Amino acid sequence: MGSIAIIGAGNVGQAIAGHMSLQGHDVRLFDRWGHDLEPIRANGGGIDVVGEVDGHGKPSVLTTDLKEAVDGAQVVAVAAPAFAHAYISQELAAVLEPSQLVLFQPGVLGSGVELARMFAVAGRTRCLVAETATSLYTCRLREPANVYIGAVKRSVPLAAVPSADTPQALAILRAFFGERYVPGGDTLTVGLLNCNPIYHVPPAVLNFKTVEDADRHPLHSLVTPRIAEVVDALDRERLRLAAALGAETTSFWDFLTTAYGVTEGSFVERIVQGYGQQAFPEPDSVGHRYFTEDIPFGLVIWSSLAERVGLSLPLTDSFIAVSSALCGRDFTAEGRTAESLGLLRADAAGVRAAFIDGTVG
C-alpha cells in the first residue's frame, strides 16, 4: 500500500480520501483552515462514502499543517478549488522533494506550469508534476463527512510537465487508481480538454433567474435544445484555440463518450445520459464554483492565450463580460492569464514550450 496526501477537503478531496482509505492506503487529508476537518473528526475520524464506492474510510492524518500532510507522501493530490492553486503551488514548491509526485486532480489549464514556475522561483529542483482536465470522481458532499460518488470515471487523460515524465507519473498512480488514468500527451492538450466551463457556464448564465432564486434545479434539466447549441458553439471556440496552439483535443461530446459511455442522441439527450443520473444542482448563488472557478480559471485563460496568438473568441469573451456584470466581479482581473503564468510575451511556440517542457522564458 502507498501513501497519499490530499490537499483540500471538499467534494473531491473527501471522495479521494474516503476511497483511498478504503483501499488500504495511508491517507493524509489537509485543509488550510480546518473547518472541513471538524465534521470528519466528529464522525469517528472517518468519511462515509456512498454510491459507486461504499464504506467508511478513515484517513491516518487530518491536518492544517501542509508539511505534516506531504512529508514522505508518494503522491500529493491537489483537490482544492482553482483559485487556491497559486497559493498552494507556492507553498508546495518550498517543501516537496524531487521524488514526490504532485497530481492536480483536477487541474485547470496552466496548473502544472504554475507549479513548475514556483519551483524555479524558489530555486529548488522540481518534483514530478502532473494534471488532469477533470476529476476522476463525479461526486458531491451530501452532508459534512458524507460524500456521494456518482461515478468513478472509466478513463481520464493525464499529462506531466515536462511531458516526458508522463509514463513515470502513470506508473506511480497505477498503485492507487488502477488503469483509470491514461496518457494525455502534454499538459496543453490535457488542460484544453477541461470541459467544465463548456457544460457549466451556458445553462447557469442563460438561466440566471434560477440562480438568483436558488431554485437548485438539476443543471442538465436547464439545457434546452437552443442552450445546447450554445454549449456546442462555446466548445467549438475551445477547439479553435487548441488548433491555433498546435494541441490535439476532442469535443465535449467526445468527452461524454470517454467519461460516461454516451454515444448516441441529440445534444440534449447526450447531456441527460451523461449527467442525469447524478442530477447535480445548478448554482444557488454567484459564489458558486461554476462562476468563481469555471470563468476566471477556464474561460479567462482561454481568452488570454487566444490573444497571444491573435485568435478571436467572441462567445467566450461575451460570457466573461456578462458573468462579470451579473456577479459584480472582474473575473479577468481575478483569473489566470498568460501574464500570471509568465507568458505575456510568448507566441504560440513559447506557450507550447511552457506546457510541454515546463520552460517559461
Side-chain angles (χ1 to χ4, degrees):
M1 295 293 101
S3 58
I4 180 169
I6 296 134
I7 311 303
N11 296 324
V12 175
Q14 291 196 37
I16 302 171
H19 188 201
M20 291 296 99
S21 297
L22 289 168
Q23 295 284 90
H25 297 292
D26 172 35
V27 175
R28 303 91 171 272
L29 182 60
F30 167 85
D31 178 63
R32 183 179 179 185
W33 307 113
H35 305 309
D36 291 325
L37 301 180
E38 292 308 315
I40 300 171
R41 292 191 177 99
N43 193 35
I47 300 164
D48 294 319
V49 183
V50 297
E52 188 163 322
V53 179
D54 190 74
H56 181 77
K58 295 186 68 171
S60 64
V61 174
L62 302 172
T63 184
T64 59
D65 184 327
L66 185 65
K67 192 173 190 320
E68 179 187 16
V70 305
D71 190 31
Q74 294 166 278
V75 175
V76 177
V78 178
F83 57 75
H85 285 188
Y87 165 80
I88 289 169
S89 290
Q90 184 176 31
E91 297 297 304
L92 289 176
V95 297
L96 291 181
E97 299 301 327
S99 60
Q100 294 178 284
L101 166 63
V102 171
L103 170 65
F104 287 96
Q105 203 287 136
V108 287
L109 184 64
S111 292
V113 171
E114 186 170 64
L115 178 55
R117 186 178 184 222
M118 294 295 186
F119 272 107
V121 169
R124 302 187 73 238
T125 302
R126 79 176 68 162
C127 65
L128 279 168
V129 180
E131 65 182 75
T132 66
T134 185
S135 171
L136 184 63
Y137 298 83
T138 302
C139 58
R140 288 293 186 276
L141 282 172
R142 302 198 310 178
E143 56 187 46
N146 186 306
V147 61
Y148 167 70
I149 297 178
V152 183
K153 296 184 179 74
R154 303 177 183 184
S155 174
V156 171
L158 173 145
V161 180
S163 57
D165 288 343
T166 299
Q168 185 180 356
L170 289 171
I172 293 169
L173 292 170
R174 198 168 295 124
F176 295 87
F177 303 101
E179 303 289 340
R180 292 182 184 267
Y181 289 119
V182 299
D186 55 70
T187 59
L188 181 59
T189 298
V190 165
L192 285 167
L193 281 172
N194 180 7
C195 290
N196 282 345
I198 300 298
Y199 172 54
H200 293 160
V201 174
V205 171
L206 298 176
N207 291 279
F208 196 75
K209 184 178 187 301
T210 64
V211 175
E212 292 183 296
D213 293 344
D215 288 338
R216 294 180 62 80
H217 296 300
L219 187 69
H220 73 273
S221 71
L222 299 177
V223 182
T224 66
R226 295 310 310 161
I227 290 177
E229 293 292 342
V230 175
V231 168
D232 183 60
L234 187 62
D235 191 40
R236 281 187 273 113
E237 288 196 347
R238 177 183 63 92
L239 295 175
R240 284 171 47 214
L241 173 62
L245 293 173
E248 294 183 8
T249 191
T250 56
S251 73
F252 170 63
W253 314 109
D254 291 332
F255 161 75
L256 290 181
T257 299
T258 301
Y260 300 112
V262 175
T263 58
E264 297 180 347
S266 67
F267 287 164
V268 171
E269 288 168 342
R270 281 186 264 180
I271 285 172
V272 171
Q273 291 175 61
Y275 297 105
Q277 180 179 355
Q278 291 86 32
F280 293 142
E282 63 172 331
D284 55 3
S285 76
V286 295
H288 193 279
R289 69 181 181 87
Y290 290 1
F291 296 111
T292 62
E293 182 164 333
D294 290 328
I295 297 167
F297 297 93
L299 301 186
V300 167
I301 184 59
W302 297 351
S303 175
S304 183
L305 291 180
E307 186 178 1
R308 297 304 318 137
V309 297
L311 179 67
S312 174
L313 303 181
L315 188 57
T316 299
D317 291 339
S318 296
F319 271 117
I320 294 169
V322 170
S323 300
S324 294
L326 288 171
C327 298
R329 301 171 67 160
D330 185 345
F331 283 129
T332 298
E334 294 178 21
R336 178 173 290 163
T337 62
E339 181 177 6
S340 70
L341 292 178
L343 300 173
L344 185 59
R345 295 177 178 81
D347 57 9
V351 171
R352 285 187 56 78
F355 281 86
I356 295 172
D357 303 324
T359 56
V360 180

